[in-house]
Amino acid sequence: MTAKSTIFKFPVKAKSTLLLLTAAGLSFPATYYSNLLPFSDDSPLFPNKIRFAVEGIVRSSRAVSTITLVLADYKYSLYGLPLDSKDYPLVSSQVHLRSAKRMLNLCEKNRGFYAKAGQFVAGLQKVPKEYSSTLSSLQDQAVPCDFKVIKEALVRNLGRDLSEIFLSFGEQPIAAASIAQVHHGILKNHQEVAVKVQYPGLEQKMRLDTTVMSFLSKSVAWFFPEYRFGWLVSEFAETISLELDFIQEAKNSEKTADNFKNNKLVRVPHVFWDLTTKQVLTMQFCRGKKVDDVESLKDMKINPVKVAKALVEVFAEMIFIHGFLHGDPHPGNVLVSKEGQDGFSLVLLDHGFYKKLDEGFRLDYCRLWKALIILDSNTIQHLGERFGVGKFSRYFPVIFTGRTIDSKSSPGEELSVEERKKLKHELKSLKMEDISSFMESLPPDFLTILKTDGILRSHIRKLGAPQRVRLEAYAKYAIYGLSPKLDPESGFAVTVAYSRLMANISYFHLRLVLEALELLSWLRKFKQSLRSFYGKIRGAVGGLLAFTFVL
């Protein structure tokens, strides 16, 4: 018998307890003694290499101890509790909430990439609501770095003293995030700029933190084989590595500006290349309010529903036509400015994380949305196989349009009672292992779209717009995305005009389908109301007749 098989002779519960307590015991001293260090981080007695090593041990130990507690809580709180038990929803929700609070505490203490990871998870919108609601508070909790450190980074990167470049430079940051902070400055030529400065030493921290996160995800999968989060860690690691290169961010910014050069509704800040390096990015300063700040929009006399429509159309164009998608449209990265032809414009910021969609994937995704609108189950299944998710493709309509694959309701409409019961019964048969397999099988492009789409849905809800706005925009741009990409200045004017005509016809066909489905839904509801009304009438008449008969 091998050593491995001998280990598994122990009861699973006892083995888990031993390993969890050991991990917690090893991690506690490092976390505890870190608070007893006799000198601060900037002390001359505390060289950078030693400081980095100690900080790495503390951060890693804190992460291991937190995940250990989370695993123990799940293991023992849900032990022996059947999934179909009436107590399971309440108990699991309580465990989710306790664990989410522990994770929030970890992210707040470790900051940096842990805070970024928490934001990343909250933005997925596919995690339990306890996690997304709890971790969403990380969006506005970044602690600014001391200006002395920031000034040193600026001088080192720009090669000159700030007084030689700027008329004035604000020491207090106007925005702070997990990997950088932004300062307002005025150049010698009186141009207002926003200067984004990366916190020093992030690349070393990134390598350590992502390695620890990978180890922890594998540990979770070892204890709970049905919970596999390797896909999440790898996607996060890719996101972070892209966001640390400000040169690439500047290039992404310019490409986006070029993609929307004919769209007066979109503004992308100009990049000052002579004041931009891998760790410093200098851009045109743009004023505006966060895209989900409804009260401020109303104060500016801007219709929030129009903003929602414009926002979703901009991102639909990125996905379906450009194939070049801004992967992090949280409120601070999309501002609404009063400047614009229609009374406002959208200012796109933070171009660090972009996903260049594979052309074959882009076309398949366009076909998927066309099939989702008309509920073409055969095409949905075929595309699901191409995306690598097989039988799980039947849940695409639920994920994206809120209806089942055999639904008779219109897209964006709430499911009927019967449909909800049927869907609930289907979902009960799904195990966590099935969900993990589904997420692992999806192409990376799809995962980025899921995350972005979840954030957009949240904005649409806050702005008070119906989800139909999103569905119509996606349908329109999916059709346009399937038409040939022809240059109107190429000389083939007739071909271009014909292509656009056919795209418009296809789009109006889908609009008719949407309108027809909505009309049928309204007629069904009207019919049900009539039945209910006549039932009440019959009941009242029957009661009156009975009363008369008794008299």
Side-chain angles (χ1 to χ4, degrees), residues 94-118:
Q94 291 172 341
V95 179
H96 289 331
L97 184 58
R98 287 196 299 271
S99 300
K101 288 180 178 178
R102 291 188 184 108
M103 298 299 289
L104 176 63
N105 184 56
L106 170 65
C107 293
E108 288 177 336
K109 287 185 175 179
N110 276 7
R111 297 190 291 180
F113 295 111
Y114 284 87
K116 193 73 176 175

Side-chain angles (χ1 to χ4, degrees), residues 306-445:
K306 286 186 177 180
V307 171
K309 186 174 185 296
L311 175 70
V312 75
E313 289 207 346
V314 165
F315 278 84
E317 187 172 337
M318 287 185 184
I319 296 170
F320 296 103
I321 296 179
H322 303 160
F324 191 64
L325 174 63
H326 188 309
D328 191 18
H330 73 74
N333 289 343
V334 184
L335 303 182
V336 181
S337 168
K338 290 197 295 184
E339 300 175 18
Q341 289 183 342
D342 297 325
F344 72 93
S345 61
L346 299 177
V347 183
L348 301 182
L349 305 176
D350 198 346
H351 302 270
F353 177 48
Y354 267 76
K355 179 68 75 171
K356 178 72 175 74
L357 304 181
D358 175 80
E359 183 62 10
F361 171 85
R362 184 189 68 81
L363 292 171
D364 279 343
Y365 193 71
C366 289
R367 295 184 186 103
L368 174 64
W369 264 93
K370 183 177 179 181
L372 287 172
I373 297 298
I374 61 177
L375 272 186
D376 181 350
S377 57
N378 290 331
T379 300
I380 292 172
Q381 182 178 350
H382 171 69
L383 290 170
E385 291 172 358
R386 288 174 62 87
F387 291 138
V389 296
K391 63 179 182 179
F392 299 115
S393 60
R394 66 179 286 103
Y395 298 109
F396 278 157
V398 175
I399 292 171
F400 288 112
T401 67
R403 55 180 181 160
T404 59
I405 199 162
D406 51 1
S407 176
K408 293 180 174 58
S409 60
S410 62
E413 182 188 342
E414 286 190 10
L415 295 175
S416 66
V417 175
E418 294 79 11
E419 287 174 337
R420 281 200 298 271
K421 286 182 179 178
K422 184 177 178 181
L423 178 61
K424 188 176 181 181
H425 179 73
E426 277 188 40
L427 294 178
K428 270 188 176 181
S429 64
L430 288 178
K431 301 176 181 178
M432 187 62 204
E433 186 174 358
D434 295 323
I435 298 173
S436 295
S437 296
F438 172 71
M439 298 303 289
E440 282 180 322
S441 301
L442 285 173
D445 291 355

